[in-house]
């Protein structure tokens, strides 16, 4: 029996019942695939259901504002995914007359759609003969066939791309792609894989050579850099001062409190001696520490956030073009990144 047939046979007995598998609608499959990038199924499921409920088709999605999309995305992280989705939906509306494309060559043109996502959507919606290659598939192929080339190198990418194509079940591409991804997610897991009860163990290179823990090989990424953000909670009657982040940095177009970034961690209220703080607030200011050095990990960055309560007589909204007071009752309507969202849940402003 071929490798593909073994994987499909396993899948028939162990597949997960996921809502996006019960449809051929390319729009809904696209939603699920983008949401599940960098996100576990358990975390992504409620977001998928909310998006489908709010935006039944790609036209509804495209006609929403970016702020609405990002607000619904709040808490998922990697917000560029949400922004790219909104751009892609607009393209489908304007260039494809609202009909979501199903072919790989058209899908790959959309913002935020890479090789894996295009292969997944085209095979799941249209049974196109495209082999998917995500983290789960890399792991299964590396272990079963004994590939020791690092998966995150050009040479590794070339080897695994060809291996994925060679083993694709061309009669049932969608079924096979779902099967190998589930096999990697549920059975051939990164840690504690179920080798003892695996029907493929006798033909698995990693198992027979004692290399399960060594494969796949991946070159470690560069060391993350540390950044220090100081957020100021500034209220005026029933309003609170908010800032909208610009482009070319993390959390583009999301809302947060006014902030100063420093090059190193500060103790206590040392921020009050910082030149930028003095330029904004002056010496006549009342400040208290609310939360210190809350760590938030991003790709290649560690954000350490400190929150302060500030009382100032200055017209602070005039200091920065992107600073504006908003009503406290409307705060929940703004799309905020997780650091701010988490702080607000605790602060109960």
């Amino acid at each position: 029996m071929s490798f593909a047939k073994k994987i499909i046979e396993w899948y028939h007995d162990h597949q997960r019942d996921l809502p996006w598998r019960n449809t051929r609608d390319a729009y809904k499959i696209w939603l699920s695939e983008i949401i599940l990038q960098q996100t576990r199924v358990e975390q992504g499921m409620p977001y998928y259901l909310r998006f489908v409920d709010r935006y039944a088709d790609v036209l509804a999605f495209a006609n929403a504002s970016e702020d609405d999309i990002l607000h619904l995305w709040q808490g998922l992280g990697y917000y560029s995914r949400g922004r790219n989705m909104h751009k892609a939906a607009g393209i489908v509306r304007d260039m494809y007359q609202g009909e979501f494309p199903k072919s790989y060559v058209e899908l790959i043109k959309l913002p935020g759609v890479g090789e894996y996502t295009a292969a997944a959507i085209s095979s799941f919606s249209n049974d196109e003969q495209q082999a998917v290659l995500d983290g789960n598939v890399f792991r299964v192929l590396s272990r079963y066939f004994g590939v020791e080339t690092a998966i995150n190198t050009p040479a590794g990418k070339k080897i695994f791309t060809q291996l994925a194509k060679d083993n694709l079940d061309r009669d049932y591409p969608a079924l096979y792609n779902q099967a190998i991804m589930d096999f990697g997610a549920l059975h051939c897991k990164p840690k504690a894989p179920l080798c003892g009860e695996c029907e493929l163990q006798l033909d698995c290179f990693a198992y027979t050579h004692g290399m399960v823990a060594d494969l796949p090989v991946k070159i470690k990424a560069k060391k993350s850099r540390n950044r220090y953000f100081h957020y100021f909670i500034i209220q005026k009657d029933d309003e609170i001062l908010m800032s909208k982040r610009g482009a070319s940095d993390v959390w583009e177009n999301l809302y947060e409190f006014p902030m100063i970034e420093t090059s190193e961690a500060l103790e206590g209220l040392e921020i009050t001696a910082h030149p930028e703080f003095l330029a904004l607030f002056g010496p006549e200011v009342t400040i208290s520490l609310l939360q210190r050095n809350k760590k938030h990990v991003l790709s290649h960055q560690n954000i350490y956030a400190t929150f302060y309560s500030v009382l100032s007589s200055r017209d602070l909204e005039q200091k920065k073009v992107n600073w504006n007071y908003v009503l406290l009752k409307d705060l929940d309507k703004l799309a905020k990144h997780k650091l701010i969202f988490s702080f607000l849940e605790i602060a109960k402003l």
Side-chain angles (χ1 to χ4, degrees), residues 295-311:
K295 185 177 180 180
H296 186 72
V297 179
L298 301 175
S299 296
H300 312 306
Q301 297 186 46
N302 299 313
I303 307 294
Y304 292 89
T306 300
F307 295 83
Y308 310 84
S309 174
V310 174
L311 296 176

Side-chain angles (χ1 to χ4, degrees), residues 48-177:
Y48 170 81
L49 296 174
R50 284 198 288 270
F51 269 102
V52 170
D53 181 63
R54 181 79 63 86
Y55 308 114
D57 54 39
V58 70
L59 290 178
F61 194 104
N63 291 332
S65 70
E66 184 183 273
D67 279 350
D68 288 340
I69 298 299
L70 293 179
H71 184 258
L72 202 58
W73 191 271
Q74 188 169 273
L76 262 180
Y78 297 94
Y79 289 88
S80 60
R81 290 182 293 169
R83 285 189 290 271
N84 281 331
M85 287 177 80
H86 193 241
K87 293 175 185 174
I91 291 172
V92 173
R93 177 194 61 200
D94 299 338
M95 297 183 64
Y96 296 91
Q97 293 73 53
E99 188 71 28
F100 211 96
K102 294 185 176 183
S103 71
Y104 181 94
V105 294
E106 296 301 324
L107 288 162
I108 198 70
K109 299 175 185 177
L110 297 177
V113 175
E115 294 175 356
Y116 159 75
T117 307
I121 299 171
S122 63
S123 68
F124 300 155
S125 67
N126 201 34
D127 263 324
E128 200 169 288
Q129 294 179 356
Q130 299 288 342
V132 297
L133 193 55
D134 71 347
N136 289 315
V137 179
F138 271 120
R139 185 167 56 257
V140 173
L141 294 178
S142 176
R143 286 174 174 172
Y144 186 85
F145 292 101
V147 182
E148 299 180 50
T149 308
I151 63 176
N152 56 341
T153 62
K157 179 67 180 299
K158 184 177 181 179
I159 291 171
F160 282 100
T161 298
Q162 189 60 51
L163 194 56
K165 289 179 180 178
D166 291 344
N167 285 280
L168 177 70
D169 189 315
R170 299 193 175 278
D171 293 325
Y172 305 102
L175 179 63
Y176 169 76
N177 281 335

Side-chain angles (χ1 to χ4, degrees), residues 186-240:
L186 304 176
H187 194 87
C188 193
K189 299 180 289 185
K191 297 181 179 179
L194 308 180
C195 297
E197 57 190 73
C198 184
E199 298 171 10
L200 281 68
Q201 64 175 232
L202 296 180
D203 298 314
C204 175
F205 180 94
Y207 181 78
T208 57
H209 289 76
M211 295 180 63
V212 173
D214 302 319
L215 296 175
V217 175
K218 187 175 184 180
I219 296 173
K220 291 184 178 180
K222 296 179 181 178
K223 185 179 179 181
S224 297
R225 68 178 176 126
N226 295 330
R227 301 178 69 181
Y228 304 94
F229 290 1
H230 302 266
Y231 288 108
F232 308 110
I233 317 303
I234 303 161
Q235 293 181 243
K236 183 175 68 175
D237 299 325
D238 58 350
E239 296 180 312
I240 189 168

